[in-house]
Amino acid sequence: MIGASPRYLDDEGYRGGFAEADLKALYQEVSLRYSEWADAFAPAAMGNADKPQLARHFAETMKSIPADRALTVLCSIFQSDHRADVSTLDIPTLVIQSQDDPAVPLEVAEYLHQHIKGSRLALINATGHLPHVSAPYEVVAAMSEFIDGQAPSPKPMSTGLSGWRSN
């Protein structure tokens, strides 16, 4: 999970990162001034002011999606609540979190880590909500470390066919 959130909307006892008023304003901005919103949102989401080309590319990518479809996706993302679902996960899970993510506060990553059995939280040296774009080596390093730690120990190979079955 990279910059993941089970719920972006703040709730009693839970900080998701957005208040209801924030989301209403975002939806209105997307509905009325999609292109301008994308141009403003991209640098905030991307972070990394020293790499403005990343934000420009992200803005152009968003603007290639029709505004009504983007609004549908945004509403789907921001209105979802999967907090009850995360505690049902029972597989090794890596939660990767940027040090400064404008969309997902560190508390959300900690929430995921606390509620997903056997998860590992990797706070990486990156900023923005899209570290797989802005800091891919940090993301790959965290993933590699996680995968190496999850790899089963090699089992001795059998030289005979006992126990071998063909389906």
Side-chain angles (χ1 to χ4, degrees):
M1 298 180 163
I2 301 174
S5 178
R7 178 174 171 95
Y8 287 89
L9 184 61
D10 295 340
D11 200 0
E12 188 175 325
Y14 176 82
R15 180 172 175 244
F18 293 89
E20 185 74 37
D22 297 331
L23 295 181
K24 285 181 182 178
L26 182 144
Y27 300 151
Q28 183 173 15
E29 192 68 23
V30 169
S31 295
L32 299 175
R33 292 174 287 283
Y34 180 59
S35 182
E36 292 85 356
W37 171 82
D39 286 335
F41 176 75
M46 187 60 68
N48 297 279
D50 59 325
K51 301 174 189 169
Q53 71 277 12
L54 295 176
R56 282 192 303 272
H57 178 72
F58 184 44
E60 293 306 314
T61 300
M62 285 191 299
K63 289 189 282 186
S64 71
I65 302 168
D68 61 332
R69 290 188 186 154
L71 184 59
T72 299
V73 170
L74 289 170
C75 287
S76 177
I77 291 169
F78 287 124
Q79 298 302 317
S80 65
D81 186 352
H82 295 285
R83 291 175 293 174
D85 300 328
V86 297
S87 63
T88 66
L89 294 175
D90 192 16
I91 57 171
T93 304
L94 175 61
V95 179
I96 298 176
Q97 179 69 25
S98 294
Q99 291 178 348
D100 182 23
D101 183 335
V104 178
L106 179 57
E107 293 95 326
V108 172
E110 291 169 341
Y111 177 93
L112 287 169
H113 177 53
Q114 291 167 2
H115 289 85
I116 299 173
K117 181 181 172 184
S119 67
R120 189 178 313 164
L121 174 59
L123 182 61
I124 62 171
N125 185 22
T127 59
H129 185 59
L130 306 165
H132 53 290
V133 175
S134 62
Y137 296 112
E138 292 285 335
V139 171
V140 169
M143 291 171 70
S144 295
E145 183 178 317
F146 178 75
I147 291 167
D148 289 346
Q150 297 298 317
S153 56
K155 295 182 178 161
M157 290 184 60
S158 170
T159 55
L161 295 176
S162 63
W164 181 82
R165 289 179 24 187
S166 176
N167 292 339

